[in-house]
């Protein structure tokens, strides 16, 4: 009991120590436990213990990583982790093989939700007042899983260097007025050599409560020049966000505070990719591949919908949508306020 009081109570890490839950705000460090990846493009995952029986809320994310070590980090809310051995890191990437030293598995088993994403030395993220990600309790998020992509592992080749990339999560046990969620728009595809290519996706938001977007984040690798997303309502296009993905890939505030996503609206995203290489580049999991992602963070006063992802392969807006000329041009134009401050409300 003495060790319990000494270790758990001062830092309020009660959800990890078998106590019902703290009665005040608290924080928890979720970090890789001295890992040393052996191959380039390693994806490691690490899980919290099972979350408490009482619902709690994440109100802020404080990353601890550097782009020279971690290409990106993702935080997932899972019904069950993808590997069932406690307190162990597992290889959760597409490039894993039977010869890998690390144990293997997916990020999650069952229900999976993206809660947070980080890259390119992005700073802290504090959610707006009264907004939080609901986890534990009667939600379908019983565990949090941290995924870190180690793109280049040269610094670990000495056999002595280890890594503790991760994040500090800030919680409150107090019920909040609004629940936060993340809607991901992503594409498959290829970028032919010596060409500018548009990777595009679009989906109808079919079921769920009204969504109030308040922040967005973009992600590509080196070929991405602009990532943009829009809400399309009765052929009226409203920009959700537009950003140069070569800048820190933080969450930026959405300018239109009145923007709402209703069932029946179309959500559309485009990545403008410029390939000056001598070979075609495909969307994939390695640093030699590309990615095209747009993350829309929103709040709602209803239950978070299951409809939380739009993914397309070989899709073009022009197939189903009437794209205004000005939107078509702006969607591939770097915004003038590219240095705007990150989300912090």
């Amino acid at each position: 009991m003495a060790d319990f009081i000494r270790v758990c109570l001062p830092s309020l890490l009660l959800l990890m120590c078998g106590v019902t839950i703290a009665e005040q705000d608290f924080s928890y460090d979720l970090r890789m436990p001295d890992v040393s990846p052996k191959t380039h493009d390693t994806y490691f995952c690490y899980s919290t213990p099972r979350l408490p029986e009482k619902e709690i809320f994440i109100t802020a994310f404080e990353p601890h990583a550097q782009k020279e070590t971690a290409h990106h980090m993702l935080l997932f809310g899972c019904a069950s982790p993808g590997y069932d051995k406690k307190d162990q890191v597992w290889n959760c990437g597409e490039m894993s093989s039977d010869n890998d030293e690390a144990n293997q598995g997916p990020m999650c088993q069952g229900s999976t939700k993206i809660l947070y994403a980080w890259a390119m030395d992005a700073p802290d993220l504090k959610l707006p007042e009264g907004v939080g990600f609901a986890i534990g309790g009667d939600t379908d998020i019983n565990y949090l899983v941290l995924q870190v992509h180690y793109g280049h592992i040269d610094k670990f080749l000495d056999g002595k260097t280890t890594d503790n990339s991760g994040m500090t999560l800030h919680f409150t046990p107090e019920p909040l007025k609004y629940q936060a969620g993340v809607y991901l728009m992503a594409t498959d595809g290829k970028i032919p050599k010596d060409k500018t290519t548009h990777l595009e996706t679009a989906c109808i938001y079919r079921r769920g409560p009204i969504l109030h977007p308040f922040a967005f984040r973009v992600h590509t690798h080196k070929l991405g020049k602009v990532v943009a997303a829009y809400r399309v309502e009765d052929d009226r296009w409203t920009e959700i966000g537009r950003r140069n993905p070569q800048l820190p890939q933080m969450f930026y505030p959405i300018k239109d505070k009145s923007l709402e996503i209703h069932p029946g609206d179309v959500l559309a995203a485009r990545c403008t990719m410029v390939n000056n290489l001598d070979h075609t580049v495909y969307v994939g999991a390695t640093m030699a591949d590309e990615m095209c992602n747009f993350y829309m963070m929103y709040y709602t006063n209803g239950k978070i919908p299951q409809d939380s992802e739009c993914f397309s392969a070989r899709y073009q807006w022009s197939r189903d949508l009437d794209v205004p000329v000005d939107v078509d041009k702006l969607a591939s134009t770097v915004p003038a306020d590219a240095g705007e401050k990150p989300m912090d409300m």
Side-chain angles (χ1 to χ4, degrees), residues 276-338:
N276 294 321
L277 303 175
D278 61 0
H279 60 276
T280 296
V281 177
Y282 295 84
V283 172
T286 77
M287 295 288 287
D289 299 318
E290 263 300 341
M291 287 186 175
C292 171
N293 295 348
F294 186 98
Y295 298 84
M296 181 185 76
M297 192 174 285
Y298 62 85
Y299 69 83
T300 178
N301 56 9
K303 188 176 181 181
I304 296 298
Q306 294 298 317
D307 183 6
S308 61
E309 184 173 304
C310 176
F311 179 83
S312 298
R314 297 180 297 278
Y315 176 85
Q316 294 295 308
W317 284 352
S318 58
R319 192 182 77 181
D320 301 313
L321 301 173
D322 183 10
V323 186
V325 173
D326 60 334
V327 170
D328 188 49
K329 180 179 180 180
L330 279 174
S332 296
T333 303
V334 176
D337 58 347

Side-chain angles (χ1 to χ4, degrees), residues 11-28:
S11 56
L12 295 177
L13 303 186
L14 302 184
L15 80 161
M16 302 304 160
C17 298
V19 175
T20 302
I21 193 61
E23 296 301 326
Q24 55 185 307
D25 294 356
F26 63 102
S27 61
Y28 174 70

Side-chain angles (χ1 to χ4, degrees), residues 19 28 97-98 118 121 124 144 151 157 163 274 313 320 335:
V19 175
Y28 174 70
S97 71
D98 293 338
W118 171 97
D121 290 342
D124 303 352
L144 298 177
L157 296 180
D163 182 62
V274 178
D320 301 313

Side-chain angles (χ1 to χ4, degrees), residues 196-263:
T196 296
T197 301
H198 293 158
L199 301 181
E200 297 173 337
T201 186
C203 295
I204 299 174
Y205 175 59
R206 297 188 181 278
R207 297 181 301 274
I210 296 173
L211 307 182
H212 301 268
F214 65 87
F216 73 97
R217 174 186 179 271
V218 303
H219 179 69
T220 72
H221 294 173
K222 294 181 179 181
L223 303 187
K225 301 303 179 185
V226 186
V227 182
Y230 296 83
R231 190 270 324 262
V232 186
E233 179 188 26
D234 298 329
D235 293 330
R236 296 191 302 272
W237 290 63
T238 302
E239 183 179 292
I240 300 171
R242 181 164 46 99
R243 191 61 44 187
N244 174 1
Q246 303 308 318
L247 296 173
Q249 294 178 6
M250 61 191 74
F251 278 92
Y252 290 89
I254 289 175
K255 292 182 178 180
D256 186 352
K257 307 300 183 184
S258 65
L259 181 62
E260 296 179 348
I261 310 298
H262 294 254

Side-chain angles (χ1 to χ4, degrees), residues 77-99:
C78 305
S80 296
Y83 192 72
D84 58 5
K85 292 185 179 180
K86 295 181 179 179
D87 300 324
Q88 287 198 24
V89 173
W90 71 96
N91 191 318
C92 54
E94 296 178 9
M95 307 305 293
S96 61
S97 71
D98 293 338
N99 296 322

